[in-house]
Amino acid sequence: MPFAPCLSVKDTAASITFYKQLGFDVDSSTARPGDDIHMLLYQGGFCGMLYSNADLKNWLPSLADTPIGFAGMFYLGVDDFDGAHDRISQHAEIVKDIDTDHTGQRMFYFRDPDGYVIGINDQAALKASDLGKYT
């Protein structure tokens, strides 16, 4: 299984609405009754989970005093990089616009309502770059 982030959020309904505006899908079918956890999908592929902060504190009490958010970012590779940028930039704060790094990888970054920073990568450029050996 690839690394699977589980984002602790203040309001799952607000987060679901936000991510759906950006072109993500949400599947809540695997949650038990009363659980506020939701699978986050992009173009049919699983990319993470949204979990109510209150429920997360019950699930892992060691996180009870941990604030929402973190210092870091998550990356998502997409096939239609320009289309993703156009859609996401209409609904989210772009914290760093399109850039190309030394490997030829194109990326941009946006912030979600809980402060998480998500980097969007051009999947084709990623596979063609030196980083492609990791995909």
Side-chain angles (χ1 to χ4, degrees), residues 32-129:
R32 295 178 302 187
D35 282 349
D36 198 1
I37 187 167
H38 312 272
M39 301 302 115
L40 192 60
L41 310 163
Y42 191 80
Q43 296 180 341
F46 171 80
C47 59
M49 296 167 271
L50 300 173
Y51 204 178
S52 159
N53 185 258
D55 282 4
L56 179 63
K57 289 178 181 185
N58 289 328
W59 178 253
L60 285 175
S62 62
L63 296 176
D65 296 325
T66 304
I68 292 174
F70 72 114
M73 76 279 291
F74 297 107
Y75 285 97
L76 175 66
V78 300
D79 293 325
D80 181 7
F81 180 81
D82 294 319
H85 179 270
D86 291 347
R87 182 168 186 160
I88 291 169
S89 65
Q90 292 177 35
H91 302 286
E93 173 194 3
I94 302 298
V95 296
K96 185 173 182 177
D97 215 343
I98 296 174
D99 195 9
T100 303
D101 73 7
H102 67 286
T103 68
Q105 176 56 55
R106 294 173 54 197
M107 65 201 79
F108 70 93
Y109 300 83
F110 71 90
R111 187 183 323 271
D112 88 346
D114 291 284
Y116 295 104
V117 174
I118 313 293
I120 302 295
N121 295 82
D122 182 339
Q123 189 70 20
L126 176 63
K127 287 180 180 180
S129 76

